Amino acid sequence: MALLDRLTWGINGSSAAHLQAVGVERWLFEQLHPAPNDALPASAQTQIEAMPDVHKFPFDIAVGFEQQGKSANQVTDPDQKKAAQQVYQQAMNDRGKQAAARSILRALYAPDQLRERMTWFWFNHFNVHQYKANIRILVGDYEDRAIRPLALGKFHDLLTATLYHPAMLRYLDNADNAAGHLNENYAREIMELHTMGVGSGYTQADVEALARILTGVGIDLKPEDPKLKPELQLQLVREGAFEFNPARHDYGDKVFLGHAIKGRGLAEVDEAVDILVRHPATAMHLCRQIATYFVAENPPEALVQRMAQVFKSTDGDIAAVLAAMVHAPEFADSLKSGAKFKDPVQYVFSAVRLAYDDKIILNTLPIQGWLNRMGEGLFNHETPDGYAITPASWNGPGQMMVRFEIARQIGSGSSGLFKPDVPNAVDQPAFPLIANSLYFNGLRQTLGPTTLAALDQAISPQDWNTLFLSSPEFMR
């Protein structure tokens, strides 16, 4: 049970029954090597399919919104112009909310729970902020295409997919990075956050060299190709909204992390990615973060070293690194101590999964609101470093007060989760059943005497649910 709780978005009756039916090793294999598209329950998939841009590519989405924005700005009547601009902004906000709704439905109901945990981890690692420029309209595609399919694959592919995605190029300003007008933002964050980590030995000269390598890597929404000199035309690369524009690239030779890189265009980027992925500091930095996320706030150094060794020997195979972690004695010890404090996302998802199991919610907006109130709203972190994955950010008195209030909302009734977000919707009847067979056959044994005594004082089922979801044990 502790294993299930640690590697998923939270234990519930159906997941516990499945684990029991197939056994631990079979379950682990399913989680580490899921089918490419593990199906969601029909009712959750139907909600996703109803979203307007779910099957469109970023280029088409961005072009459509760009035209809408231009049309709004061309309106001459001031009141009508203001109204048109508000409609445009609202449509972009809606796309951000729909992207968050897809994330939440997958987190709650996807059978490939470990992939969903890693999708959140990697999004946070390669963070973009939805309210910069028009990223709201791209953030869903960024998660759905650049991160989720690669969350358990090779790190090289994941890093490359984020590098080529317009959400990242816009967020870290590489779309503005050109020969003679260097923008070092993205180059610095790739080394500091995405790969090697702070203090791993790279210099300011390496940042500048990588920025020069990345010149010309950007975004182009125009239907026609840019005007180029004949000798550069074959170097142009356009894939959807991504563009490598050779006229903006610095073709000089570079020295990056001690490697001489010949100036030759987009191939330099692939070479730099290879160097970064294979750097020993990258293996250590990533494995320490993964172990912090799943094992302990200060993970044992020996565990991190062994995971890093697997990372290097498998050329960055994320599933292999996770398998090494899960089978390590340090991981087993951490399950026994049960000491991993939940961040807000884990807290809310685990509460809703436990309360409603496979009864599919019809409205994710209450959950989006709870996460925003607790300061961990999906896609809402402004800086590239992502949300903290250590307890100190989430266990202060103010935070806990908000948690207790959310525990009461989830424990007392459906709190809007079963009222579709459409005009004149009717709230479907739903009530959380936490004191169920899973509780009596397992969860009860994990509770201390203080919590059991408090639960005995409950004056109603709602009160009991609230006390259970507020207990120190459920916070971990």
Side-chain angles (χ1 to χ4, degrees):
M1 278 184 46
L3 174 82
L4 185 65
D5 209 40
R6 185 68 60 89
L7 296 181
T8 69
W9 280 120
I11 192 167
N12 57 16
S14 56
S15 62
H18 177 65
L19 172 62
Q20 207 165 12
V22 299
V24 168
E25 283 305 319
R26 173 67 197 273
W27 181 85
L28 266 174
F29 185 84
E30 288 175 359
Q31 291 299 313
L32 289 165
H33 307 284
N37 292 315
D38 255 6
L40 280 176
S43 163
Q45 191 60 43
T46 304
Q47 293 180 54
I48 290 174
E49 293 296 331
M51 297 175 188
D53 291 341
V54 72
H55 294 300
K56 285 189 192 161
F57 288 101
F59 181 84
D60 302 319
I61 297 169
V63 166
F65 271 93
E66 192 175 50
Q67 287 166 346
Q68 188 182 348
K70 278 181 184 160
S71 305
N73 288 333
Q74 283 165 356
V75 176
T76 47
D77 178 279
D79 290 343
Q80 286 178 343
K81 181 177 190 165
K82 190 179 172 189
Q85 285 169 336
Q86 279 175 341
V87 168
Y88 169 65
Q89 289 295 332
Q90 185 58 48
M92 289 207 288
N93 290 343
D94 286 345
R95 295 311 190 270
K97 283 179 182 157
Q98 286 159 14
R102 294 207 287 279
S103 263
I104 290 166
L105 288 168
R106 290 194 171 108
L108 294 177
Y109 307 113
D112 47 337
Q113 280 286 298
L114 183 55
R115 177 157 55 192
E116 289 305 318
R117 287 291 309 273
M118 290 307 291
T119 298
W120 188 93
F121 172 84
W122 289 123
F123 187 101
N124 197 51
H125 182 83
F126 294 107
N127 184 53
V128 300
H129 181 231
Q130 66 170 336
Y131 290 112
K132 178 166 179 172
N134 67 343
I135 291 175
R136 282 162 287 175
I137 65 173
L138 303 171
V139 74
D141 184 89
Y142 179 64
E143 184 178 85
D144 291 344
R145 281 191 236 253
I147 293 182
R148 181 174 287 103
L150 304 167
L152 294 169
K154 291 285 177 105
F155 179 72
H156 180 284
D157 300 341
L158 183 60
L159 177 61
T160 304
T162 59
L163 190 155
Y164 274 65
H165 200 282
M168 180 60 80
L169 295 171
R170 174 68 65 228
Y171 175 60
L172 287 177
D173 306 317
N174 208 76
D176 305 327
N177 182 22
H181 297 279
L182 271 197
N183 187 310
E184 296 175 6
N185 265 12
Y186 186 34
R188 179 173 288 104
E189 303 303 1
I190 283 184
M191 286 195 275
E192 184 177 306
L193 297 173
H194 299 170
T195 58
M196 295 167 64
V198 181
S200 52
Y202 63 85
T203 64
Q204 176 55 26
D206 291 316
V207 174
E208 284 174 30
L210 186 54
R212 287 176 60 210
I213 289 166
L214 288 166
T215 49
V217 170
I219 300 167
D220 190 357
L221 300 179
K222 292 193 257 330
E224 68 284 351
D225 288 346
K227 300 268 188 291
L228 295 171
K229 293 175 183 164
E231 64 270 23
L232 292 179
Q233 279 167 3
L234 286 176
Q235 292 265 319
L236 174 71
V237 176
R238 295 188 72 183
E239 290 172 18
F242 172 86
E243 175 181 79
F244 173 72
N245 185 334
R248 295 167 59 82
H249 183 66
D250 176 340
Y251 276 88
D253 294 344
K254 295 99 179 165
V255 176
F256 176 55
L257 293 169
H259 298 257
I261 293 188
K262 299 292 290 176
R264 63 195 191 287
L266 188 58
E268 297 168 48
V269 176
D270 296 332
E271 194 177 342
V273 165
D274 282 344
I275 291 165
L276 285 166
V277 170
R278 299 208 165 101
H279 197 287
T282 297
M284 285 299 289
H285 176 60
L286 296 175
C287 291
R288 179 167 281 110
Q289 285 196 314
I290 291 170
T292 303
Y293 183 54
F294 282 113
V295 183
E297 184 175 359
N298 294 303
E301 195 59 27
L303 173 64
V304 176
Q305 294 274 4
R306 287 203 307 282
M307 289 166 66
Q309 204 48 54
V310 172
F311 185 94
K312 287 183 270 198
S313 67
T314 61
D315 201 20
D317 186 318
I318 298 160
V321 170
L322 289 169
M325 177 192 78
V326 173
H327 289 108
E330 295 92 338
F331 184 77
D333 292 344
S334 82
L335 292 183
K336 288 189 197 101
S337 67
K340 197 84 184 64
F341 187 81
K342 295 175 182 175
D343 64 351
V345 169
Q346 176 96 45
Y347 176 73
V348 169
F349 289 174
S350 63
V352 175
R353 274 173 66 80
L354 184 64
Y356 290 105
D357 199 347
D358 46 13
K359 184 178 171 69
I360 312 291
I361 65 168
L362 305 174
N363 188 345
T364 66
L365 290 178
I367 293 175
Q368 295 187 41
W370 294 330
L371 296 177
N372 289 338
R373 284 188 60 199
M374 289 195 280
E376 205 179 18
L378 299 180
F379 323 136
N380 274 1
H381 194 72
E382 286 188 37
T383 49
D385 52 354
Y387 289 114
I389 51 175
T390 48
S393 305
W394 310 116
N395 61 8
Q399 268 279 339
M400 298 313 290
M401 288 303 294
V402 178
R403 281 195 193 203
F404 298 149
E405 192 186 318
I406 290 166
R408 197 187 74 247
Q409 287 186 36
I410 296 172
S412 301
S414 60
S415 30
L417 295 170
F418 295 89
K419 185 177 183 180
D421 181 30
V422 292
N424 308 317
V426 178
D427 207 349
Q428 310 281 326
F431 184 75
L433 293 171
I434 299 173
N436 54 18
S437 60
L438 175 66
Y439 171 75
F440 289 110
N441 294 334
L443 292 180
R444 187 179 164 85
Q445 282 73 48
T446 66
L447 303 179
T450 315
T451 298
L452 289 168
L455 291 171
D456 285 342
Q457 305 295 309
I459 53 173
S460 68
Q462 292 91 330
D463 193 35
W464 191 97
N465 289 342
T466 303
L467 288 168
F468 180 83
L469 296 176
S470 304
S471 67
E473 292 88 346
F474 192 75
M475 296 292 169
R476 297 176 180 281

